[in-house]
Structure formats: C-alpha cells, structure tokens
Amino acid sequence: MSSITPLLSSPGRELLAHWEHEGAFRSLSPMDLALAIRSQVADPEVASAIASQLQLRTQAEKKFGSLARTLLWTRDGYEQATRWVVARLHAQRFLDSGAHHIGDLGCGIGADSFAFARAGMRVTSFDINDEALAAASANLSAFPSCHAEKRDVTTLRGEDFHAYGFDALFADPARRTGKQGGSKRITSPEDWSPSLDRVLGWEDSIPHLGVKVAPGIPYDLIPEHFHAQWASVDGDLLEAALWTPELAPEGAGRSASVITDDQVHTLIDPQTQAANSQPRQAECGPLDSYLFEPDSAVIRSGTVACLAEQMGAHLVSESIAYLSAPTLCTTPFASAFEVIDHVNLRVKNIQQVLRALNVGRVEIKKRGADIQPEALRKSLKLKGDAEAVIIATRIGGAHRAIIARRISGGEA
C-alpha cells in the first residue's frame, strides 16, 4: 500500500488535518510525534503515514512555502519537485503562449501540474509510480478539469497526445533511480526515462514543448532552435529547462534566470543566437579593486562574457569565472568582494596578511585551485576578531590567494 493511501480517507485524512491545524508537531521530536499520533489511531500504517507527511511538508516548505502544507508529498517527490517560484515561471510560459491543455509527462507528485492548474489551464498528468500518482491526484483534486493517470510515458507517441487533445507538453524525464535503486543520479541523457532524444522528438507532434533537464546538460545536446534557460534560487542552481520557439519569446539561445527573494532577474546574451553554440570568451585583465563571482546559472548558461560587458569587468584568468573591475557594480547576477590583498597560495603568506588584519574567521572559496578549504583553515590557526574571505584561484597563470571582504547587497 502507498504511504499516501492512508491519508486519502478516514481516519487518516481527518487526523492529518487536525495536526496541521493544531501545529503542535513543530515542537515535537520525530519520536515524540510518532508516539503522540500512535496514541490517537490504532492502525500503525495510518500513524506512520501522518508522521511522515508532517515531516515531509516541513521539509517541502523550503521549496513551496506555506503551500507545501496543503499538498501531499513523497520522499522522492519532494527531492525531485520543482520549486514553486520556478514552477510558476514554467506555467507563465505556457499561459502566455495560449496553451489550454497541457500533458505533464513524468509529473511526480504534481508540483508543475499544480502550478499549471492554478494558472487556469487544464492538465492531464502521467506517471508510472503509484505512490507519486496518489499524491498528484490528491494535489490536483481541487481542479475539476485536471487529473493524473498511470501511464508509462516512454511508450507515448504523437497519436496518443492528439487523442488526449493536448496542445502543449511539459516533460521531466526521470534522472534518478528512485529510492529502491538508492536514489542515484543518472548522468547520461540517453539513460533518462524517457531518453532526451525521445522527448525532444515529441516536438514534431506538439510544437509547444518544454523539457526540464539537469543543469549540467552539454550544449551540443540542445537543438539550436530551442531556448535553454538555467535557473537558480537564492544562489542554488536548480535546473535547466529547454523551450521550443512557441514557448520562448526570447528566441533561440541561452539565458540565466536568477531568483532572489522571489524576484526574477534574467540575463540573455543577444550575441548567442543558437542554444548549442559555444559560449563567448570574456576579456582577461589584471586583478582590480573588486572581484565578482557570477551566479552558477550565469556560468552554466555561458553568459559570463555578456555579464562582464554589462559590468565593465574582465576575467582575472582565462576559463575561470571570476570577474574584476576598478569600481563596484551591484548586480543580481554576481556576488561582490572588495579586494584587500593577494599573495602566493601558501599558508605562511596568507597568515601574514590575515594576522595583520586581526582576522579570526574566514570564508574560503576556490576555483581553479586544488586545495582543501578545511585543511587550509586549520593550517592558518587564526585568533583575531575580524572576518575575511580567502579566494583561492589563478590570476593570469599563477595560483594566488585573494584576501577580500564580502559586500552585501545594500552597500553600494
């Protein structure tokens, strides 16, 4: 029996609602919570399902905010679900394109389906996993025109899509083995379920096609006429998504969507007009007064050169994504640091600078340098009161340690 099943009927449904309303679970340890629920219901499966669901909802608040407490979750579903702010962006693309009936292929617990439904579109969601389907069905139950059903999406063809009346498709190929297989990541797009090639071929039947893929997808696997967008939320790189021309008003190419505090910032390189083209190379120059670390979505999308041009900055070493400029430029697309000094990447040299600055706490970052941050931290043996950032990287061809101060967004 699915762990969701006991929550779909009495007494599990009512007890779960009771615990949500009371809110007492937040102050209880997992053991105390299990014992408290067990005292209210005789069936251990029902008690276990309620305790697990309360804990999963608490974890899912990181992705869905308060809405997480209104949905049903599975462990795999939580790990694979799209963040709510990103799911809303997906939904907006379909809405703006005029889509009416979306086939959500590999829906999991229905996070994106829920966003599509909330935006007013009809959704038919497919998944092969019974537990995920139970959650997705419950999560879509408030929308009469939406439902989830069991289908192996790897077998679906164009005639199936037309039979359902779809005018748009959203696909999220399985990229993990699931909990029974150890939840291991599947790296090769040919081994995804369904494979990337198969999913991309669905464009021939339904031109409105969006595909959620791993952020590390190589450019040469993306059709040149697609638009590929990498998304990060509060500094965490989450996904790349591929969009056919009908869903991409930006046109073909690549972009970065950087989301901070629910504010969406998009960086598009107008000189990159094919999704599979190689990224442009930014100019290199010396280390200046300020150093900038581009967001991971910017780096993955190959828009570092575009960002450098917008900021009036340059790389400090070819192929390493640190930018530098003589003046401070605040941007949502990069973290900023004020350069204090830079020395050889040796413990003794770094110690001398930090002790002179009375530094006792350091944040250590590295890119293009083979060091172990924790080993370096222990070797420094710092005792001061001030804070600093050590950035281990290359300047030109030489390994250096940049001593810097992180600049907060409100300092400019």
Side-chain angles (χ1 to χ4, degrees), residues 310-332:
Q310 289 186 6
M311 297 175 63
H314 53 263
L315 296 173
V316 295
S317 187
E318 188 175 342
S319 77
I320 297 179
Y322 281 129
L323 300 172
S324 190
T327 56
L328 176 61
C329 175
T330 57
T331 172

Side-chain angles (χ1 to χ4, degrees), residues 387-403:
E387 298 181 359
V389 181
I390 301 172
I391 302 169
T393 188
R394 293 199 301 270
I395 300 177
H399 285 95
R400 304 288 285 177
I402 301 171
I403 315 302

Side-chain angles (χ1 to χ4, degrees), residues 337-386:
F337 303 87
E338 182 181 14
V339 176
I340 300 172
D341 203 346
H342 63 96
V343 296
N344 289 329
L345 188 54
R346 296 174 181 167
V347 172
K348 182 178 180 180
N349 299 99
I350 300 170
Q351 277 179 328
Q352 289 176 342
V353 175
L354 296 181
R355 287 175 179 173
L357 296 170
N358 193 36
V359 169
R361 297 178 301 280
V362 292
E363 174 187 357
I364 301 176
K365 305 178 70 66
K366 68 169 186 173
R367 185 165 290 160
D370 186 16
I371 67 160
Q372 297 298 322
E374 286 309 310
L376 175 59
R377 190 191 312 276
K378 290 179 181 179
S379 299
L380 291 173
K381 300 177 182 178
L382 301 174
K383 299 179 181 179
D385 298 320

Side-chain angles (χ1 to χ4, degrees), residues 159-191:
E159 54 264 31
D160 299 309
F161 303 142
H162 294 304
Y164 276 96
F166 296 146
D167 58 10
L169 300 176
F170 181 74
D172 185 3
R175 299 184 297 280
R176 286 185 178 274
T177 58
K179 61 184 179 183
Q180 291 183 340
S183 294
K184 295 180 181 178
R185 192 179 300 276
I186 302 171
T187 56
S188 172
E190 285 308 302
D191 294 329

Side-chain angles (χ1 to χ4, degrees), residues 148-159:
E149 62 181 79
K150 187 173 184 177
R151 288 291 299 263
D152 181 354
V153 299
T154 65
T155 67
L156 294 176
R157 301 180 181 277
E159 54 264 31

Side-chain angles (χ1 to χ4, degrees), residues 23 37 57-58 67 131 161 186 193 220 249 291-292 334 339 357 377 385 406:
I37 297 172
R57 284 179 169 181
T58 298
L67 270 176
E131 191 175 41
F161 303 142
I186 302 171
S193 183
D220 59 9
L291 189 78
F292 304 92
V339 176
L357 296 170
R377 190 191 312 276
D385 298 320
R406 181 182 284 276

